[in-house]
Every structure is written in structure tokens, then in C-alpha cells.
Amino acid sequence: APDLDLLIGADDVLLELALAGAVGWIAGYPNAFPASCAELYHAAVAGDLESALPLYRSLHSLLRWDSKTEFVQSIKLSMDIAGRPGGPVRPPRTPLSGEIEAGVRLATEKAVAEGHH
């Protein structure tokens, strides 16, 4: 479909789809890390692998949460940790707990520690 514009619809395949010619991104994790995600997106669509690859590798464990069933809760928790209040989720979603919450916290705290913002 040569006249069909494709959008990136999941954060954890951003680089691959940008390099394949996607023209936009329906994004989740830029809500938590807007500057770093914007930098990654712009480098990816420009084909600037020298800039995009290190960012992608650094953020990928966090971006993976966008492709999980709990993506809304994950993004909101990451926003809270990053200092951008995400607030509580609304039903039928429920707050994260246990191992899932711990995984999101670990990936988010790693991104914060690495200076992503």
C-alpha cells in the first residue's frame, strides 16, 4: 500500500518502525520522559543510528511496558516516579502490585538514574 502512512503504535518497536518509514508515533512513554523520547524519535526518523541506538538501548526495558496489558498503569506509575503526576487509574483498570509494579519501578528508576527526562 504505497499511499498508506504508517504510525508507530508501540513504544518498544519505535526504532524499527521509524527506520521502516513510519511517519508518526502514537506514544505512551513520552508522558513520563518527554525530552528523551522526543530525542529518540527524531533521531530514529532521521535515520541517525549513532544517536538513536544508545538512547533506545537505554530506554528499551522501560518502553517494553507499553506493550503489556498493564501499559496504562505502567505509564502512570512511571510518570509519578519521574515527577510528572500520572494519577490513579480509572476502572476497570486497577493499580499495579507485586512483581509487575516492581519491574516498572526498576526500569523507571534506572531511566531516571541515567538522566532521562
Short mmCIF file of all heavy atoms in Angstrom, two decimals, residues 36-97:
data_model
loop_
_atom_site.label_atom_id
_atom_site.label_comp_id
_atom_site.label_asym_id
_atom_site.label_seq_id
_atom_site.Cartn_x
_atom_site.Cartn_y
_atom_site.Cartn_z
N SER A 36 13.63 12.85 26.46
CA SER A 36 14.42 11.71 25.97
C SER A 36 13.69 10.96 24.86
O SER A 36 14.31 10.54 23.88
CB SER A 36 14.73 10.75 27.12
OG SER A 36 15.58 11.37 28.06
N CYS A 37 12.38 10.80 25.00
CA CYS A 37 11.61 10.10 23.97
C CYS A 37 11.53 10.92 22.69
O CYS A 37 11.62 10.36 21.59
CB CYS A 37 10.21 9.76 24.49
SG CYS A 37 10.22 8.42 25.71
N ALA A 38 11.40 12.23 22.80
CA ALA A 38 11.39 13.08 21.61
C ALA A 38 12.73 13.02 20.90
O ALA A 38 12.79 12.92 19.66
CB ALA A 38 11.04 14.52 21.98
N GLU A 39 13.80 13.06 21.67
CA GLU A 39 15.14 12.95 21.09
C GLU A 39 15.30 11.63 20.36
O GLU A 39 15.82 11.57 19.23
CB GLU A 39 16.20 13.10 22.18
CG GLU A 39 17.61 13.06 21.69
CD GLU A 39 18.64 13.19 22.81
OE1 GLU A 39 18.27 13.49 23.96
OE2 GLU A 39 19.83 12.95 22.52
N LEU A 40 14.85 10.56 20.98
CA LEU A 40 14.92 9.23 20.37
C LEU A 40 14.10 9.19 19.08
O LEU A 40 14.58 8.72 18.04
CB LEU A 40 14.43 8.17 21.36
CG LEU A 40 14.25 6.76 20.81
CD1 LEU A 40 15.53 6.22 20.21
CD2 LEU A 40 13.75 5.84 21.93
N TYR A 41 12.88 9.68 19.13
CA TYR A 41 12.02 9.66 17.95
C TYR A 41 12.64 10.44 16.79
O TYR A 41 12.72 9.95 15.67
CB TYR A 41 10.64 10.23 18.29
CG TYR A 41 9.78 10.42 17.06
CD1 TYR A 41 9.16 9.33 16.46
CD2 TYR A 41 9.61 11.68 16.49
CE1 TYR A 41 8.39 9.49 15.32
CE2 TYR A 41 8.85 11.85 15.35
CZ TYR A 41 8.23 10.75 14.77
OH TYR A 41 7.48 10.92 13.64
N HIS A 42 13.09 11.65 17.06
CA HIS A 42 13.65 12.48 15.99
C HIS A 42 14.90 11.85 15.39
O HIS A 42 15.08 11.88 14.16
CB HIS A 42 13.91 13.89 16.48
CG HIS A 42 12.65 14.65 16.75
ND1 HIS A 42 11.73 14.96 15.78
CD2 HIS A 42 12.14 15.14 17.90
CE1 HIS A 42 10.71 15.60 16.30
NE2 HIS A 42 10.93 15.72 17.60
N ALA A 43 15.74 11.27 16.24
CA ALA A 43 16.93 10.59 15.72
C ALA A 43 16.54 9.37 14.89
O ALA A 43 17.11 9.12 13.82
CB ALA A 43 17.85 10.19 16.87
N ALA A 44 15.54 8.63 15.35
CA ALA A 44 15.12 7.41 14.64
C ALA A 44 14.54 7.74 13.27
O ALA A 44 14.91 7.11 12.27
CB ALA A 44 14.11 6.64 15.48
N VAL A 45 13.63 8.70 13.19
CA VAL A 45 13.03 9.01 11.88
C VAL A 45 14.05 9.66 10.93
O VAL A 45 13.90 9.56 9.71
CB VAL A 45 11.75 9.88 11.99
CG1 VAL A 45 10.65 9.13 12.71
CG2 VAL A 45 12.02 11.22 12.62
N ALA A 46 15.09 10.27 11.49
CA ALA A 46 16.14 10.84 10.65
C ALA A 46 17.15 9.78 10.22
O ALA A 46 18.03 10.05 9.41
CB ALA A 46 16.86 11.95 11.40
N GLY A 47 17.01 8.56 10.75
CA GLY A 47 17.96 7.50 10.43
C GLY A 47 19.30 7.68 11.11
O GLY A 47 20.29 7.07 10.71
N ASP A 48 19.34 8.50 12.15
CA ASP A 48 20.58 8.79 12.89
C ASP A 48 20.79 7.71 13.95
O ASP A 48 20.50 7.90 15.12
CB ASP A 48 20.47 10.17 13.53
CG ASP A 48 21.69 10.55 14.35
OD1 ASP A 48 22.66 9.76 14.40
OD2 ASP A 48 21.65 11.63 14.98
N LEU A 49 21.31 6.57 13.50
CA LEU A 49 21.51 5.44 14.41
C LEU A 49 22.57 5.73 15.47
O LEU A 49 22.49 5.19 16.58
CB LEU A 49 21.89 4.19 13.64
CG LEU A 49 20.76 3.54 12.86
CD1 LEU A 49 21.26 2.35 12.05
CD2 LEU A 49 19.65 3.13 13.79
N GLU A 50 23.52 6.57 15.16
CA GLU A 50 24.56 6.91 16.14
C GLU A 50 23.94 7.55 17.38
O GLU A 50 24.38 7.31 18.50
CB GLU A 50 25.59 7.83 15.51
CG GLU A 50 26.81 8.05 16.37
CD GLU A 50 27.88 8.85 15.64
OE1 GLU A 50 28.11 8.61 14.45
OE2 GLU A 50 28.47 9.74 16.30
N SER A 51 22.91 8.36 17.19
CA SER A 51 22.22 8.98 18.32
C SER A 51 21.10 8.10 18.86
O SER A 51 20.88 8.01 20.07
CB SER A 51 21.62 10.33 17.90
OG SER A 51 22.63 11.21 17.48
N ALA A 52 20.36 7.46 17.97
CA ALA A 52 19.16 6.72 18.37
C ALA A 52 19.48 5.43 19.12
O ALA A 52 18.81 5.10 20.11
CB ALA A 52 18.31 6.40 17.15
N LEU A 53 20.47 4.69 18.67
CA LEU A 53 20.73 3.37 19.25
C LEU A 53 21.07 3.40 20.74
O LEU A 53 20.49 2.63 21.52
CB LEU A 53 21.81 2.63 18.47
CG LEU A 53 21.23 1.35 17.92
CD1 LEU A 53 21.31 1.32 16.43
CD2 LEU A 53 21.94 0.19 18.52
N PRO A 54 21.97 4.26 21.19
CA PRO A 54 22.24 4.29 22.63
C PRO A 54 21.01 4.67 23.46
O PRO A 54 20.77 4.10 24.52
CB PRO A 54 23.35 5.33 22.79
CG PRO A 54 23.93 5.50 21.43
CD PRO A 54 22.85 5.15 20.45
N LEU A 55 20.23 5.61 22.97
CA LEU A 55 19.01 6.01 23.67
C LEU A 55 18.02 4.85 23.72
O LEU A 55 17.42 4.57 24.76
CB LEU A 55 18.35 7.19 22.95
CG LEU A 55 18.78 8.58 23.33
CD1 LEU A 55 18.18 9.59 22.36
CD2 LEU A 55 18.35 8.89 24.75
N TYR A 56 17.85 4.20 22.59
CA TYR A 56 16.91 3.08 22.51
C TYR A 56 17.32 1.96 23.44
O TYR A 56 16.49 1.40 24.16
CB TYR A 56 16.85 2.61 21.06
CG TYR A 56 15.68 1.73 20.71
CD1 TYR A 56 14.38 2.09 21.03
CD2 TYR A 56 15.87 0.55 20.01
CE1 TYR A 56 13.31 1.29 20.68
CE2 TYR A 56 14.81 -0.25 19.65
CZ TYR A 56 13.53 0.12 19.98
OH TYR A 56 12.47 -0.68 19.61
N ARG A 57 18.60 1.63 23.43
CA ARG A 57 19.09 0.57 24.33
C ARG A 57 18.87 0.95 25.79
O ARG A 57 18.50 0.12 26.61
CB ARG A 57 20.56 0.31 24.07
CG ARG A 57 20.81 -0.45 22.81
CD ARG A 57 22.28 -0.80 22.63
NE ARG A 57 22.46 -1.58 21.42
CZ ARG A 57 23.35 -1.33 20.49
NH1 ARG A 57 24.18 -0.30 20.63
NH2 ARG A 57 23.45 -2.09 19.42
N SER A 58 19.11 2.20 26.10
CA SER A 58 18.96 2.67 27.47
C SER A 58 17.50 2.66 27.94
O SER A 58 17.20 2.34 29.08
CB SER A 58 19.55 4.07 27.58
OG SER A 58 19.37 4.60 28.86
N LEU A 59 16.58 3.01 27.05
CA LEU A 59 15.17 3.13 27.41
C LEU A 59 14.33 1.89 27.13
O LEU A 59 13.20 1.79 27.58
CB LEU A 59 14.55 4.31 26.64
CG LEU A 59 14.99 5.69 27.06
CD1 LEU A 59 14.52 6.74 26.04
CD2 LEU A 59 14.45 6.01 28.45
N HIS A 60 14.87 0.93 26.39
CA HIS A 60 14.04 -0.17 25.89
C HIS A 60 13.37 -1.00 26.99
O HIS A 60 12.21 -1.38 26.85
CB HIS A 60 14.82 -1.07 24.95
CG HIS A 60 13.93 -1.90 24.10
ND1 HIS A 60 13.62 -3.20 24.39
CD2 HIS A 60 13.22 -1.59 22.97
CE1 HIS A 60 12.80 -3.68 23.49
NE2 HIS A 60 12.52 -2.71 22.62
N SER A 61 14.06 -1.27 28.09
CA SER A 61 13.42 -2.06 29.15
C SER A 61 12.20 -1.34 29.71
O SER A 61 11.23 -1.97 30.14
CB SER A 61 14.41 -2.40 30.26
OG SER A 61 14.84 -1.23 30.93
N LEU A 62 12.22 -0.04 29.68
CA LEU A 62 11.07 0.75 30.11
C LEU A 62 9.99 0.78 29.01
O LEU A 62 8.80 0.57 29.27
CB LEU A 62 11.52 2.17 30.43
CG LEU A 62 10.45 3.13 30.94
CD1 LEU A 62 9.89 2.65 32.27
CD2 LEU A 62 11.04 4.51 31.09
N LEU A 63 10.41 1.00 27.79
CA LEU A 63 9.46 1.09 26.68
C LEU A 63 8.70 -0.22 26.46
O LEU A 63 7.57 -0.22 25.96
CB LEU A 63 10.19 1.48 25.38
CG LEU A 63 10.90 2.82 25.38
CD1 LEU A 63 11.62 3.05 24.05
CD2 LEU A 63 9.95 3.96 25.68
N ARG A 64 9.27 -1.35 26.88
CA ARG A 64 8.61 -2.65 26.76
C ARG A 64 7.28 -2.68 27.49
O ARG A 64 6.37 -3.41 27.11
CB ARG A 64 9.49 -3.78 27.30
CG ARG A 64 10.69 -4.11 26.46
CD ARG A 64 10.37 -4.81 25.17
NE ARG A 64 9.78 -6.11 25.40
CZ ARG A 64 8.91 -6.69 24.58
NH1 ARG A 64 8.53 -6.10 23.49
NH2 ARG A 64 8.42 -7.87 24.85
N TRP A 65 7.16 -1.90 28.58
CA TRP A 65 5.92 -1.90 29.36
C TRP A 65 4.75 -1.35 28.56
O TRP A 65 3.59 -1.62 28.88
CB TRP A 65 6.11 -1.15 30.68
CG TRP A 65 6.97 -1.95 31.60
CD1 TRP A 65 8.29 -1.74 31.86
CD2 TRP A 65 6.59 -3.11 32.35
NE1 TRP A 65 8.76 -2.71 32.73
CE2 TRP A 65 7.74 -3.56 33.04
CE3 TRP A 65 5.40 -3.81 32.49
CZ2 TRP A 65 7.72 -4.68 33.87
CZ3 TRP A 65 5.38 -4.94 33.32
CH2 TRP A 65 6.53 -5.35 33.99
N ASP A 66 5.00 -0.61 27.49
CA ASP A 66 3.92 -0.08 26.67
C ASP A 66 3.21 -1.18 25.89
O ASP A 66 2.10 -0.98 25.40
CB ASP A 66 4.46 0.99 25.70
CG ASP A 66 3.37 1.65 24.88
OD1 ASP A 66 2.49 2.29 25.49
OD2 ASP A 66 3.38 1.51 23.64
N SER A 67 3.84 -2.35 25.76
CA SER A 67 3.23 -3.46 25.01
C SER A 67 2.64 -4.52 25.92
O SER A 67 2.32 -5.62 25.47
CB SER A 67 4.28 -4.10 24.09
OG SER A 67 4.59 -3.20 23.05
N LYS A 68 2.50 -4.22 27.17
CA LYS A 68 1.91 -5.16 28.13
C LYS A 68 0.45 -4.78 28.39
O LYS A 68 0.04 -3.64 28.19
CB LYS A 68 2.68 -5.13 29.46
CG LYS A 68 4.17 -5.30 29.34
CD LYS A 68 4.54 -6.73 29.17
CE LYS A 68 6.07 -6.85 29.20
NZ LYS A 68 6.52 -8.14 28.87
N THR A 69 -0.31 -5.72 28.90
CA THR A 69 -1.71 -5.47 29.24
C THR A 69 -1.85 -4.31 30.21
O THR A 69 -2.79 -3.52 30.14
CB THR A 69 -2.33 -6.74 29.86
OG1 THR A 69 -2.17 -7.81 28.93
CG2 THR A 69 -3.79 -6.56 30.17
N GLU A 70 -0.88 -4.15 31.09
CA GLU A 70 -0.91 -3.12 32.13
C GLU A 70 -0.23 -1.82 31.69
O GLU A 70 0.28 -1.08 32.51
CB GLU A 70 -0.22 -3.64 33.40
CG GLU A 70 -0.74 -4.95 33.92
CD GLU A 70 -0.11 -6.18 33.24
OE1 GLU A 70 0.80 -6.04 32.41
OE2 GLU A 70 -0.57 -7.29 33.56
N PHE A 71 -0.25 -1.54 30.39
CA PHE A 71 0.51 -0.39 29.90
C PHE A 71 0.04 0.94 30.48
O PHE A 71 0.85 1.80 30.78
CB PHE A 71 0.55 -0.35 28.37
CG PHE A 71 -0.73 0.05 27.71
CD1 PHE A 71 -0.91 1.35 27.24
CD2 PHE A 71 -1.76 -0.87 27.52
CE1 PHE A 71 -2.08 1.72 26.61
CE2 PHE A 71 -2.93 -0.50 26.89
CZ PHE A 71 -3.11 0.79 26.44
N VAL A 72 -1.25 1.13 30.67
CA VAL A 72 -1.74 2.40 31.21
C VAL A 72 -1.24 2.59 32.64
O VAL A 72 -0.71 3.65 32.99
CB VAL A 72 -3.29 2.48 31.16
CG1 VAL A 72 -3.81 3.69 31.93
CG2 VAL A 72 -3.76 2.53 29.72
N GLN A 73 -1.37 1.56 33.45
CA GLN A 73 -0.91 1.64 34.83
C GLN A 73 0.61 1.84 34.87
O GLN A 73 1.12 2.59 35.70
CB GLN A 73 -1.25 0.35 35.60
CG GLN A 73 -2.73 0.08 35.73
CD GLN A 73 -3.24 -0.89 34.68
OE1 GLN A 73 -2.98 -0.74 33.50
NE2 GLN A 73 -4.00 -1.88 35.11
N SER A 74 1.32 1.18 33.99
CA SER A 74 2.78 1.29 33.96
C SER A 74 3.22 2.71 33.62
O SER A 74 4.11 3.27 34.27
CB SER A 74 3.36 0.30 32.94
OG SER A 74 3.02 -1.02 33.28
N ILE A 75 2.61 3.29 32.62
CA ILE A 75 2.96 4.64 32.22
C ILE A 75 2.65 5.62 33.35
O ILE A 75 3.45 6.50 33.68
CB ILE A 75 2.26 5.03 30.90
CG1 ILE A 75 2.82 4.20 29.75
CG2 ILE A 75 2.41 6.53 30.62
CD1 ILE A 75 2.00 4.25 28.48
N LYS A 76 1.48 5.47 33.97
CA LYS A 76 1.11 6.37 35.06
C LYS A 76 2.07 6.23 36.25
O LYS A 76 2.48 7.24 36.84
CB LYS A 76 -0.33 6.11 35.51
CG LYS A 76 -1.36 6.66 34.54
CD LYS A 76 -2.76 6.30 35.01
CE LYS A 76 -3.80 7.15 34.35
NZ LYS A 76 -3.87 8.51 34.86
N LEU A 77 2.47 5.02 36.59
CA LEU A 77 3.43 4.82 37.68
C LEU A 77 4.77 5.45 37.30
O LEU A 77 5.39 6.15 38.12
CB LEU A 77 3.61 3.33 37.99
CG LEU A 77 4.66 2.98 39.04
CD1 LEU A 77 4.36 3.66 40.38
CD2 LEU A 77 4.74 1.46 39.21
N SER A 78 5.22 5.24 36.08
CA SER A 78 6.48 5.84 35.63
C SER A 78 6.41 7.36 35.67
O SER A 78 7.37 8.03 36.06
CB SER A 78 6.84 5.37 34.22
OG SER A 78 7.16 4.00 34.21
N MET A 79 5.28 7.92 35.29
CA MET A 79 5.11 9.37 35.36
C MET A 79 5.26 9.84 36.80
O MET A 79 5.96 10.84 37.06
CB MET A 79 3.73 9.77 34.82
CG MET A 79 3.58 9.62 33.32
SD MET A 79 1.88 9.89 32.75
CE MET A 79 1.71 11.65 33.09
N ASP A 80 4.62 9.15 37.73
CA ASP A 80 4.72 9.52 39.15
C ASP A 80 6.18 9.49 39.61
O ASP A 80 6.66 10.43 40.26
CB ASP A 80 3.88 8.59 40.02
CG ASP A 80 2.38 8.81 39.87
OD1 ASP A 80 1.96 9.88 39.39
OD2 ASP A 80 1.63 7.88 40.24
N ILE A 81 6.89 8.43 39.27
CA ILE A 81 8.29 8.28 39.69
C ILE A 81 9.16 9.36 39.07
O ILE A 81 10.08 9.89 39.70
CB ILE A 81 8.80 6.87 39.34
CG1 ILE A 81 8.06 5.82 40.18
CG2 ILE A 81 10.31 6.76 39.56
CD1 ILE A 81 8.28 4.39 39.71
N ALA A 82 8.87 9.72 37.82
CA ALA A 82 9.66 10.73 37.11
C ALA A 82 9.29 12.16 37.50
O ALA A 82 9.88 13.11 37.00
CB ALA A 82 9.50 10.55 35.60
N GLY A 83 8.31 12.30 38.40
CA GLY A 83 7.93 13.63 38.86
C GLY A 83 6.89 14.32 37.99
O GLY A 83 6.72 15.54 38.06
N ARG A 84 6.19 13.55 37.17
CA ARG A 84 5.10 14.07 36.33
C ARG A 84 3.84 13.32 36.72
O ARG A 84 3.58 12.26 36.18
CB ARG A 84 5.41 13.84 34.85
CG ARG A 84 6.57 14.65 34.38
CD ARG A 84 6.86 14.37 32.91
NE ARG A 84 7.84 15.31 32.44
CZ ARG A 84 9.14 15.20 32.65
NH1 ARG A 84 9.61 14.20 33.32
NH2 ARG A 84 9.97 16.11 32.19
N PRO A 85 3.08 13.85 37.66
CA PRO A 85 1.95 13.09 38.22
C PRO A 85 1.04 12.47 37.16
O PRO A 85 0.48 13.16 36.32
CB PRO A 85 1.20 14.13 39.06
CG PRO A 85 2.26 15.14 39.41
CD PRO A 85 3.18 15.19 38.23
N GLY A 86 0.96 11.14 37.22
CA GLY A 86 0.09 10.41 36.31
C GLY A 86 -1.27 10.17 36.92
O GLY A 86 -2.25 9.99 36.23
N GLY A 87 -1.31 10.16 38.25
CA GLY A 87 -2.57 9.96 38.95
C GLY A 87 -3.03 8.53 38.94
O GLY A 87 -2.41 7.66 38.31
N PRO A 88 -4.12 8.29 39.63
CA PRO A 88 -4.63 6.92 39.72
C PRO A 88 -5.30 6.49 38.41
O PRO A 88 -5.74 7.33 37.62
CB PRO A 88 -5.68 7.02 40.85
CG PRO A 88 -6.11 8.45 40.83
CD PRO A 88 -4.91 9.24 40.40
N VAL A 89 -5.33 5.19 38.20
CA VAL A 89 -6.05 4.66 37.04
C VAL A 89 -7.53 4.60 37.35
O VAL A 89 -7.93 4.60 38.51
CB VAL A 89 -5.53 3.26 36.64
CG1 VAL A 89 -4.11 3.34 36.14
CG2 VAL A 89 -5.65 2.27 37.77
N ARG A 90 -8.33 4.60 36.32
CA ARG A 90 -9.78 4.51 36.47
C ARG A 90 -10.24 3.09 36.15
O ARG A 90 -9.63 2.42 35.32
CB ARG A 90 -10.47 5.49 35.53
CG ARG A 90 -10.23 6.92 35.91
CD ARG A 90 -11.00 7.84 35.00
NE ARG A 90 -10.07 8.86 34.53
CZ ARG A 90 -10.29 9.65 33.52
NH1 ARG A 90 -11.38 9.54 32.82
NH2 ARG A 90 -9.41 10.56 33.19
N PRO A 91 -11.33 2.67 36.78
CA PRO A 91 -11.87 1.34 36.48
C PRO A 91 -12.18 1.23 34.98
O PRO A 91 -12.52 2.22 34.36
CB PRO A 91 -13.16 1.28 37.31
CG PRO A 91 -12.97 2.29 38.38
CD PRO A 91 -12.10 3.36 37.79
N PRO A 92 -12.00 0.07 34.41
CA PRO A 92 -11.81 -1.22 35.09
C PRO A 92 -10.36 -1.54 35.42
O PRO A 92 -10.07 -2.60 35.95
CB PRO A 92 -12.37 -2.21 34.07
CG PRO A 92 -12.02 -1.59 32.74
CD PRO A 92 -12.19 -0.10 32.97
N ARG A 93 -9.44 -0.64 35.12
CA ARG A 93 -8.04 -0.90 35.45
C ARG A 93 -7.84 -0.79 36.95
O ARG A 93 -8.52 -0.02 37.62
CB ARG A 93 -7.13 0.08 34.71
CG ARG A 93 -7.24 -0.09 33.20
CD ARG A 93 -6.15 0.64 32.50
NE ARG A 93 -6.30 0.58 31.06
CZ ARG A 93 -5.80 -0.38 30.28
NH1 ARG A 93 -5.10 -1.36 30.82
NH2 ARG A 93 -5.99 -0.36 29.00
N THR A 94 -6.88 -1.53 37.44
CA THR A 94 -6.55 -1.50 38.87
C THR A 94 -5.07 -1.17 39.01
O THR A 94 -4.28 -1.40 38.09
CB THR A 94 -6.85 -2.85 39.54
OG1 THR A 94 -6.10 -3.88 38.88
CG2 THR A 94 -8.33 -3.19 39.46
N PRO A 95 -4.67 -0.61 40.15
CA PRO A 95 -3.25 -0.28 40.35
C PRO A 95 -2.36 -1.52 40.22
O PRO A 95 -2.80 -2.64 40.46
CB PRO A 95 -3.21 0.27 41.77
CG PRO A 95 -4.60 0.69 42.07
CD PRO A 95 -5.49 -0.24 41.30
N LEU A 96 -1.14 -1.28 39.84
CA LEU A 96 -0.16 -2.36 39.76
C LEU A 96 0.21 -2.82 41.16
O LEU A 96 0.17 -2.05 42.12
CB LEU A 96 1.11 -1.89 39.04
CG LEU A 96 0.95 -1.44 37.60
CD1 LEU A 96 2.28 -0.92 37.08
CD2 LEU A 96 0.45 -2.58 36.74
N SER A 97 0.62 -4.05 41.26
CA SER A 97 1.11 -4.56 42.53
C SER A 97 2.12 -5.66 42.27
O SER A 97 2.28 -6.13 41.15
CB SER A 97 -0.05 -5.10 43.39
OG SER A 97 -0.68 -6.16 42.72
#
